[in-house]
Amino acid sequence: MMSHPIQESQLLQTRRHFFGRTSTGIGVAALASLMNTGSAHGGPGPDALSQLSQIAPKAKRVIYLLQSGAPSQVDLFDYKPSLNKLDRTELPDSVRQGQRLTGMTAGQKNFTVVKSPWKFQQHGQSGAWLSELLPHMSNVVDDICIIRSMHTEAINHDPAITFFQSGNQQPGRPSIGAWLSYGLGSETQDLPSFVVLLSKNTFHQAQPLYDRLWGSGFLPSKYQGVKFRSQGDPVLYLNDPTGRSSADRRMMLDRLENLNRMHEAAIGDPEISSRIAQYEMAYRMQTSVPDLADTSDEPASTFDLYGEDAKQPGSHASNCLLARRLAERGVRFIQVFHRGWDHHSNVQKYLPTLAKETDQGSAALIQDLKQRGMLDETLVIWAGEFGRTVYSQGNPDTFGRDHHPRCFSIWMAGGGIKPGIRYGQTDDYCYNITENPVHVHDFHATLLHCLGIDHEKLTYRFQGRDYRLTDVHGNVVHNILT
């Protein structure tokens, strides 16, 4: 329900008077926390954090490589030798079980099974099967956990990626990174606690990305993700205007802060405190961001590891390297979006391109963090919003794969995750889960657990209700944890 404006004003006035009568400086301390001065923490406070969980955190931060468009588990991670015999046969109704189809294949008369055209091979001591499209990931299979039994509820892209990002298919909820920024605060005073990197798109039918996917929803706006650009200045308007010095900017911000404090005292809007904090963060980023983005101090061995693409700003490899540099500097949640996995036709042409764009950078990130001693405290995730069908969309000779929410594969590494394991099983058609299903809510609960948070206790009251990332669902997948 909507708050009554007069009642809201009275409540805020009472709160303001309370702070005004308090001689211990609570109001100043709260503002200092918001501005990350004196303490790097920017969340609900040490006392509140101690009540979130008694879990010992394994991870301090998250690097989430989100593959927008939904990669095909059939062709990358979930090896099915049974498809050699089932190839070009009709998918049985007993397997499909009346599943809802998208408008792109609902009118098809036939659902012809198409095996993966790429070879799979076992790698590492764990013997994990990987597609030949992922030669670099084959070098780190003993460091990752491949979950082959993910499933979700949405069958179309926007609600599906919104679900993964916020725990709800409808827009308006806080994103994962915003929840973590709120719950854990920041480890750095000079950079945001939540940073978003968008890789350059090379696919002509890539799904769009909206700022709300890293938004703060109903949380204070200071917790939303800050998007770094791949061209020009990483963040707009960080440079001082021509002819103006840093001292001029400092004087302007001090005066603006005084005005904002007066305005906050008059109306009590908490967003004004967020605005003050964001102005201060932007001022500190004028120094920290150029240093962060300048990779000229990296040795040649770094670019040998990440590949030549890492020298091209906006490439996936470059963003993976930048993610490592952000993690080193204390950023809590780093999300790299790579678009273009939505292959409804000609999978044989398009999938190798996307796999090549992401394979080396993703594997290098794991190796780089590991050799720096950071992997154990950094949770790395590689995931799309759902999977792809085993049957062909359109002509089986130039086949596409449609959306498939019923089973798909992701991988996780570091930060409390067991290395070198596969979790979950699917049937011979790679269509249904037969063992250890993992729902999106379970994924979120497990992610929070790795960071030492009980997902049932990280809540925020909005319009009379306590909300959380996992809503009223979710179970931690303990079998994949160290």
Side-chain angles (χ1 to χ4, degrees), residues 258-317:
N258 288 334
L259 291 173
N260 278 323
R261 287 192 189 187
M262 292 168 59
H263 194 47
E264 181 186 29
I267 67 171
D269 184 355
E271 274 300 298
I272 298 174
S273 295
S274 290
R275 190 180 307 153
I276 295 170
Q278 298 297 59
Y279 279 133
E280 291 299 319
M281 174 60 71
Y283 179 75
R284 295 192 292 272
M285 286 170 64
Q286 286 187 292
T287 300
S288 62
V289 170
D291 176 67
L292 164 76
D294 182 6
T295 60
S296 62
D297 60 344
E298 293 286 347
S301 58
T302 295
F303 296 102
D304 291 339
L305 182 63
Y306 284 88
E308 284 299 306
D309 277 357
K311 297 179 180 179
Q312 303 299 320
S315 68
H316 180 75

Side-chain angles (χ1 to χ4, degrees), residues 6 17 38 53 58 88 115 118 201 206 226 239 248 250 258 325 344 349 354 361-362 391 421 471:
I6 296 178
H17 286 171
S53 177
K58 295 292 183 70
R88 303 305 174 103
K115 69 177 183 179
W118 295 283
N201 174 55
V226 175
N239 293 325
D248 292 335
R250 180 69 267 171
N258 288 334
R325 291 170 67 89
H344 290 277
K349 175 182 178 181
L354 268 293
S362 301
Y391 62 77
I421 67 169
D471 195 39

Side-chain angles (χ1 to χ4, degrees), residues 44-326:
D47 293 338
L49 279 174
S50 66
Q51 297 175 14
L52 290 179
S53 177
Q54 299 299 319
I55 305 166
K58 295 292 183 70
K60 290 183 178 180
R61 68 192 69 89
V62 177
I63 300 177
Y64 189 158
L65 310 177
L66 196 149
Q67 313 305 310
S68 172
S72 171
Q73 78 286 355
V74 183
D75 300 298
L76 296 176
F77 296 106
D78 201 351
Y79 177 50
K80 293 297 175 186
S82 54
L83 294 181
N84 290 324
K85 293 183 178 180
L86 297 171
D87 187 47
R88 303 305 174 103
T89 63
E90 185 72 6
L91 181 71
D93 290 339
S94 59
V95 173
R96 190 155 63 90
Q97 299 174 355
Q99 181 195 9
R100 175 193 172 198
L101 303 177
T102 73
M104 291 165 284
T105 54
Q108 287 189 186
K109 294 181 179 180
N110 301 102
F111 297 91
T112 305
V113 172
V114 179
K115 69 177 183 179
S116 177
W118 295 283
K119 296 178 181 178
F120 278 71
Q121 187 176 338
Q122 286 181 289
H123 298 278
Q125 294 183 351
S126 61
W129 289 91
L130 284 186
S131 167
E132 63 179 317
L133 295 178
L134 302 173
H136 293 280
M137 284 303 301
S138 68
N139 297 322
V140 296
V141 291
D142 289 337
D143 297 306
I144 67 174
C145 164
I146 302 174
I147 301 176
R148 297 175 294 193
S149 53
M150 282 297 307
H151 64 107
T152 187
E153 299 170 13
I155 199 170
N156 290 312
H157 291 287
D158 190 68
I161 197 170
T162 303
F163 193 28
F164 250 98
Q165 285 296 101
S166 67
N168 195 281
Q169 295 183 45
Q170 296 297 321
R173 301 287 182 88
S175 58
I176 308 174
W179 275 113
L180 290 180
S181 296
Y182 164 69
L184 296 178
S186 178
E187 291 187 307
T188 175
Q189 294 183 1
D190 299 325
L191 289 166
S193 59
F194 177 16
V195 171
V196 174
L197 305 172
L198 303 184
S199 298
K200 291 180 179 177
N201 174 55
T202 61
F203 186 56
H204 64 287
Q205 292 180 329
Q207 293 297 316
L209 296 173
Y210 303 103
D211 285 5
R212 60 175 170 78
L213 294 174
W214 48 89
S216 58
F218 45 69
L219 293 175
S221 59
K222 73 185 297 288
Y223 300 118
Q224 67 187 352
V226 175
K227 181 175 67 175
F228 280 22
R229 305 192 312 156
S230 60
Q231 294 180 331
D233 293 335
V235 181
L236 289 171
Y237 311 122
L238 282 186
N239 293 325
D240 290 320
T242 303
R244 295 295 181 180
S245 66
S246 178
D248 292 335
R249 173 67 67 92
R250 180 69 267 171
M251 182 173 62
M252 182 271 290
L253 289 177
D254 289 341
R255 291 177 177 177
L256 186 60
E257 180 185 335
N258 288 334
L259 291 173
N260 278 323
R261 287 192 189 187
M262 292 168 59
H263 194 47
E264 181 186 29
I267 67 171
D269 184 355
E271 274 300 298
I272 298 174
S273 295
S274 290
R275 190 180 307 153
I276 295 170
Q278 298 297 59
Y279 279 133
E280 291 299 319
M281 174 60 71
Y283 179 75
R284 295 192 292 272
M285 286 170 64
Q286 286 187 292
T287 300
S288 62
V289 170
D291 176 67
L292 164 76
D294 182 6
T295 60
S296 62
D297 60 344
E298 293 286 347
S301 58
T302 295
F303 296 102
D304 291 339
L305 182 63
Y306 284 88
E308 284 299 306
D309 277 357
K311 297 179 180 179
Q312 303 299 320
S315 68
H316 180 75
S318 175
N319 281 341
C320 285
L321 173 56
L322 194 56
R324 186 265 288 166
R325 291 170 67 89
L326 286 162

